[in-house]
Amino acid sequence: DDEREALAAESMTKPDATATPANLAYVIYTSGSTGRPKGVLVSHENVVHSTVARSVYYEESLTTYLLLSSFSFDSSVAGLFWTLCNGATLLLPHGELRRDLPALIELIRRQHVSHLLCLPSLYALLLDAAEPAALDSLRCVIVAGEACPLELPEKHRRHSSAGLYNEYGPTEGTVWATVYKIEPKVTRQIPIGGPIANTQIYILDRQLQPVPFGVSGELFIGGNAKRN
């Protein structure tokens, strides 16, 4: 109210929009494959692509997302944008609570958490500590950040009917590039799955040629929004 007269004197003309999809959305630091820290530049285009791809792929209704990762870890981007763009509740436990398994389980039960993304090792600990009924609200559990152990799907099945997914993607790929829905009974190594929407995955040799099925190669990620 104190600024009413000054605000009334300002122009009513809409300012020109100068932002473009290529503008920087955020910088996030990673140790990289060599252990040398580097800042990854992520554009608005890439964040939009990553977020929309989640809405396209995941069918479970998102109501409450429990963010367990630090803001310095790129998986936090999934929780922030995916949750808020869907008008859902983003649950941010304080630092001490993240290390208290019984308190986390009670938080999931009390707040009716529908979606959870965490390391497979952390999810295994939650399952070991939880009574089955405590996780009834979960509809979608995503594990990422490390290899998913073969015994996790069966342990998950005994505690929850939620969908269980294994995600993979480097920071430069804006959090995720592939996803695999894990079946209850898996008898082989759990794969990283297929490419998300508007993304291509190639396994190439040293001459950048596609390798035959079953032959080792290097993973290359392509697509319009993978230009970092």
Side-chain angles (χ1 to χ4, degrees):
D1 290 344
D2 292 341
E3 303 293 332
R4 182 177 297 171
E5 292 185 5
L7 292 173
E10 295 290 340
S11 172
M12 297 295 290
T13 304
K14 182 179 178 180
D16 293 331
T18 59
T20 71
N23 282 135
L24 186 66
Y26 63 84
V27 179
I28 196 162
Y29 278 81
T30 172
S31 63
S33 58
T34 62
R36 183 177 181 181
K38 62 177 179 178
V40 176
L41 311 180
V42 180
S43 68
H44 286 271
E45 176 185 30
N46 288 7
V47 175
V48 169
H49 166 259
S50 177
T51 303
V52 171
R54 290 188 179 280
S55 297
V56 169
Y57 180 81
Y58 289 105
E59 298 178 350
E60 296 88 352
S61 178
L62 173 54
T63 56
T64 304
Y65 185 105
L66 177 59
L67 183 61
L68 291 177
S69 63
S70 163
F71 290 121
S72 63
F73 188 46
D74 66 351
S75 69
S76 65
V77 174
L80 289 168
F81 291 101
W82 188 24
T83 306
L84 299 182
C85 287
N86 277 277
T89 299
L90 182 62
L91 203 56
L92 304 173
H94 59 76
E96 292 300 321
L97 186 58
R98 288 194 180 101
R99 294 185 287 271
D100 188 336
L101 290 177
L104 278 179
I105 294 166
E106 173 59 19
L107 185 66
I108 292 171
R109 186 197 64 79
R110 188 176 69 252
Q111 296 293 339
H112 305 288
V113 171
S114 65
H115 285 58
L116 174 68
L117 189 158
C118 64
L119 294 170
S121 54
L122 175 56
Y123 185 54
L125 292 175
L126 283 172
L127 292 174
D128 288 338
E131 295 293 333
L135 304 178
D136 282 350
S137 65
L138 291 176
R139 299 172 189 162
C140 176
V141 176
I142 303 167
V143 293
E146 61 188 23
C148 183
L150 197 58
E151 63 273 11
L152 185 63
E154 179 61 24
K155 184 180 293 188
H156 165 79
R157 187 191 65 80
R158 294 197 300 266
H159 286 77
S160 174
S161 61
L164 180 62
Y165 301 87
N166 187 35
E167 284 188 6
Y168 165 80
T171 304
E172 293 84 350
T174 318
V175 187
W176 70 324
T178 68
V179 59
Y180 177 74
K181 185 173 183 178
I182 305 174
E183 299 302 327
K185 293 186 180 296
V186 184
T187 58
R188 56 188 177 87
Q189 183 177 4
I190 297 173
I192 62 172
I196 63 174
N198 296 320
T199 298
Q200 293 82 46
I201 298 295
Y202 305 94
I203 308 297
L204 307 179
D205 60 21
R206 292 183 179 180
Q207 286 73 45
L208 301 184
Q209 296 299 310
V211 300
F213 180 80
V215 175
S216 297
E218 189 169 356
L219 181 69
F220 282 73
I221 304 172
N224 289 337
K226 299 295 178 186
R227 299 181 294 201
N228 302 49

